[in-house]
Amino acid sequence: MGTTASSTPCSRKPLQAERIGRAIHFVRVALVLWVFSLGLVAHWPAQAQATNAEVIQLTVERSDEGVFLSASLKFDIPAVVQDALLKGIAGQFLVEADLYRDRWYWTDRKVLSSVRYLRLSYQALSRRWRLQISSQPISNSGQGVAIVQQFDSLEDAVATMQRISRWRVGPSDE
């Protein structure tokens, strides 16, 4: 009687601490158009829909302070949304980043997940655009912990929304 030996080869290289890029299988950054306010939803329920952004450039780096994401996005604000913004209705946007680790034996495992909230509004008296960026949902009053920036044109505000620079998506030990 003979015996048969079999083995499953494992050719995966170990993860190097300085090379987090090997552990990244999929990073999804989507800009999602969020519900504006009760007024916009009541008047234009079909227009309050998601808009996905195209990722032009994506960089993930790991340091002692954490895992940082930098990206360049490409998206357009629909005309109906621009019209609502000009009428004083603030637009709320959501940027989500998910970091997955590639696993050869099972489905990919989600390692990190982070969310960033953006609120864009037009100030009619000063004729300036106001962009608020926060890691927590921004209330309708616009108050809370947020970075506030002022712009002279909608194009400048959207260009700032399209650039994500060194966004801390998680701790470095993950």
Side-chain angles (χ1 to χ4, degrees):
M1 177 184 234
T3 60
T4 304
S6 67
S7 66
T8 304
C10 179
S11 64
R12 296 285 184 186
K13 295 180 181 177
L15 175 68
Q16 299 171 1
E18 67 273 2
R19 295 289 303 183
I20 193 166
R22 293 183 186 265
I24 300 170
H25 172 66
F26 178 73
V27 175
R28 178 179 64 110
V29 178
L31 184 72
V32 179
L33 181 61
W34 214 19
V35 178
F36 286 58
S37 70
L38 294 176
L40 180 62
V41 174
H43 292 100
W44 297 308
Q47 271 70 19
Q49 52 187 316
T51 302
N52 287 329
E54 178 184 346
V55 179
I56 304 294
Q57 178 189 15
L58 180 68
T59 307
V60 177
E61 62 183 82
R62 182 164 137 190
S63 68
D64 294 336
E65 296 91 34
V67 178
F68 294 95
L69 176 101
S70 298
S72 295
L73 307 172
K74 181 182 177 185
F75 63 89
D76 295 324
I77 303 235
V80 82
V81 174
Q82 290 180 15
D83 186 45
L85 289 168
L86 287 171
K87 290 181 180 178
I89 299 172
Q92 301 223 13
F93 300 85
L94 177 70
V95 180
E96 298 174 313
D98 295 327
L99 182 70
Y100 290 85
R101 173 169 282 177
D102 185 26
R103 297 194 296 188
W104 64 273
Y105 58 89
W106 201 251
T107 60
D108 298 338
R109 181 175 66 103
K110 186 185 286 188
V111 178
L112 293 173
S113 183
S114 189
V115 177
R116 180 183 268 188
Y117 299 90
L118 296 98
R119 185 173 196 259
L120 181 63
S121 60
Y122 180 67
Q123 310 294 316
L125 291 176
S126 63
R127 294 185 181 182
R128 295 189 57 127
W129 293 88
R130 180 178 175 164
L131 178 64
Q132 295 173 287
I133 303 170
S134 176
S135 61
Q136 301 172 1
I138 302 170
S139 66
N140 285 337
S141 64
Q143 297 178 353
V145 180
I147 298 171
V148 179
Q149 297 175 333
Q150 302 279 339
F151 300 96
D152 291 328
S153 68
L154 176 63
E155 292 79 22
D156 293 341
V158 171
T160 300
M161 292 171 63
Q162 291 176 341
R163 287 186 314 268
I164 299 171
S165 179
R166 288 196 48 89
W167 171 24
R168 187 176 187 267
V169 293
S172 62
D173 59 350
E174 293 288 331

